[in-house]
Structures are given as structure tokens and as C-alpha cells.
Amino acid sequence: MAERTPVIAGNWKMHRDHLEAIQLVQKLAYHLEAADYEGQEVVVCPSFVCLRSIQTLIQSDRLPLALGAQNCHPEDEGAFTGEVSPPMLQRLDVTYVIAGHSERRALFGESDEIVNAKVAAILRHGMRPILCVGETKEEREAGTAVDVVVSQLRGSLAGIDIALDNAEEVVVAYEPVWAIGTGLTATPEDAQEMCAAVRTELASLYDQAISDRIRVQYGGSVKPGNVKTLMGQPDIDGALVGGASLSSEDFALIVGHRRD
Ligand code: PGA
């Protein structure tokens, strides 16, 4: 099996203005040790209005953090009032862009087709998508969780070419909707089972070697107390962290989970 570099990303959602964002990143950097960054990637995904400030901070303080955005429009430019394009993000040294978060799917009507166009645009501009998939509580209870996730994966990756040498640039985040912001977490076994199903589907869409290189994160109430067992699962290569990433102490504990 290919060695995959885990990626831990903080999704701040619509929290923190640019001044608070600067403070949060400064505190996070203070809590982290050089060894915490080794062998894993650490990403912060603030709101669009904070990206420029955080880009400057990362550059001036030479922080080994990557910058992520929470969304983008699939087009390069145009009459799309209020939207932000991939080239604009790329110019801000954004490395990762979250695509198809369940909040965007549920609250802003994003279909697999839209998410698919976003993933293509993110890759076309040399950035890395964090493609979110996940079932609702009802879907899990009905026993259709794997079908739902596999179908989201197929729809969101339709026509997307992933080769062996760019497979590491694609991240899939398995985020069960019922675990997001609820304090409920999938058991490590259930999370592993779904991440393995994601990898099996990726192998059938591409091939086994490519699938083995794609990073698959778990997201949904990841906390300092549960990150270690989740990350210990063979098919879980990182975490997409919402609430806990808003506390520099908690996010540092999550990133630093290998310390003890
Ligand atoms: P949570 O959010 O960690 O607050 O559950 C995860 C996410 O929405 O990415």
C-alpha cells in the first residue's frame, strides 16, 4: 500500500473576522512544535475575507501551514455577483479548496454536478480539492449510507482525470452529516468501513495504485480525545475539523496527537 501523507484541515466555516483569524493562526503556531508538521500537512480554511491576511502571515512568519478556502465558483470569471473564482484563490497561494461540503449541498443546493465542476476547476488551477461526501442520519438508518456516498463520489468525480502522479493532490473527506457539529462521531470502525468503501470505489473509478494514493479524511466532531483512534485506522489519512479548529489549543492538540 502506498504511503500517504495525512492532511489535517481546519474548516472555520463562517466564523472569525480577519483580525480574529490572524490571532488564531498566531496562537496555533505558538502551540505547535516543528515535529508536529513533519510527515503531515496542516491546513487552515478561513473565510474568503481572511485569506489575504493569513497568506501574508504565513509568508512573513514562514509558517509551515497550508492555506485552504471553503468554496469556489467553477468559472474563471464572469457575471457571478458575490462569487470567488479559482484563479483568485490560486493568486492568494491557496493550496486546498473544500468542495461539496454537506452544508453547501443542503443549504445552498449544490448538486453532484456543481461539485463536479468545482473539483475540475480546482484541479485545473493547480489547487487540491477536499471533496466532501457523507450520508444523513436517515440514510444511515435506512442502510443506504454506502450507496449514497458511492453515488456522491461518482457524480462529483465524473470525467475527472486522476493520474498516479497527481493522485496525492486529491483529498476526499468522508463526513457523515449526522456527525457534523453535533458532538456525535462515527465510531472508528464505522468511519474506517466507509473510508475503505470510498477507496474501493476510487479503485474501480481509476485503479488500485491511484486509489492507494488519494488521501481520505474523516470529518464530523473530530476532537483532541478521538482523533488518535480515528487517524489510527488504515484508510483514514487525516481529519477535516470544524468546531474544534476554532480553538487554537484544541486544534493544536489534534494536529499534535502523535506526541504522546
Ligand atoms: P465539526 O465540523 O468538526 O464541527 O463536526 C466538521 C466539518 O463540517 O467539516
Side-chain angles (χ1 to χ4, degrees):
M1 194 193 285
E3 270 296 301
R4 294 181 293 266
T5 306
V7 47
I8 300 185
N11 171 14
W12 298 0
K13 311 191 180 185
M14 200 173 72
H15 296 289
R16 305 293 183 263
D17 63 32
H18 75 288
L19 298 173
E20 294 164 336
I22 291 170
Q23 267 201 350
L24 182 47
V25 171
Q26 282 172 331
K27 283 188 190 163
L28 175 65
Y30 171 80
H31 289 301
L32 290 176
E33 298 168 2
D36 294 328
Y37 299 101
E38 276 167 27
Q40 65 179 3
E41 289 179 67
V42 185
V43 188
V44 287
C45 306
S47 79
F48 287 138
V49 297
C50 304
L51 289 173
R52 177 62 173 148
S53 307
I54 303 303
Q55 176 205 23
T56 306
L57 176 62
I58 287 174
Q59 264 177 7
S60 60
D61 288 9
R62 296 202 164 83
L63 302 177
L65 288 171
L67 191 55
Q70 299 173 17
N71 182 31
C72 68
H73 192 278
E75 300 292 329
D76 288 5
E77 61 178 351
F80 301 107
T81 302
E83 292 295 300
V84 174
S85 76
M88 293 172 185
L89 297 176
Q90 196 255 330
R91 291 279 285 157
L92 286 166
D93 296 331
V94 164
T95 305
Y96 288 91
V97 185
I98 300 172
H101 188 280
S102 63
E103 285 152 17
R104 298 217 54 91
R105 290 177 187 264
L107 303 173
F108 302 98
E110 286 193 13
S111 61
D112 285 337
E113 203 181 353
I114 294 172
V115 176
N116 179 238
K118 293 185 180 194
V119 171
I122 294 161
L123 286 168
R124 195 166 63 243
H125 291 283
M127 296 179 290
R128 304 172 170 197
I130 298 179
L131 165 62
C132 300
V133 292
E135 82 286 358
T136 61
K137 185 168 174 277
E138 293 72 31
E139 289 161 342
R140 175 150 286 264
E141 283 167 3
T144 57
V146 172
D147 293 347
V148 167
V149 166
V150 162
S151 145
Q152 287 175 338
L153 210 52
R154 278 192 201 142
S156 309
L157 289 174
I160 306 263
D161 191 32
I162 304 177
L164 197 54
D165 59 0
N166 76 341
E168 290 196 65
E169 286 158 28
V170 177
V171 177
V172 175
Y174 166 53
E175 297 211 306
V177 177
W178 49 269
I180 295 176
T182 57
L184 301 171
T185 318
T187 63
E189 295 73 27
D190 285 350
Q192 160 58 25
E193 194 178 280
M194 187 63 88
C195 292
V198 164
R199 207 174 295 288
T200 302
E201 181 57 24
L202 291 170
S204 86
L205 288 174
Y206 300 97
D207 66 32
Q208 191 61 51
I210 291 172
S211 168
D212 282 344
R213 286 211 180 166
I214 294 176
R215 273 91 56 88
V216 182
Q217 294 177 317
Y218 168 80
S221 300
V222 174
K223 305 272 182 257
N226 61 25
V227 64
K228 218 182 166 103
T229 42
L230 287 162
M231 296 279 286
Q233 303 301 314
D235 284 296
I236 299 181
D237 313 310
L240 185 54
V241 186
S245 71
L246 294 171
S247 151
S248 55
E249 287 86 359
D250 282 356
F251 194 55
L253 286 170
I254 289 171
V255 172
H257 71 278
R258 301 170 302 180
R259 279 188 203 173
D260 42 60

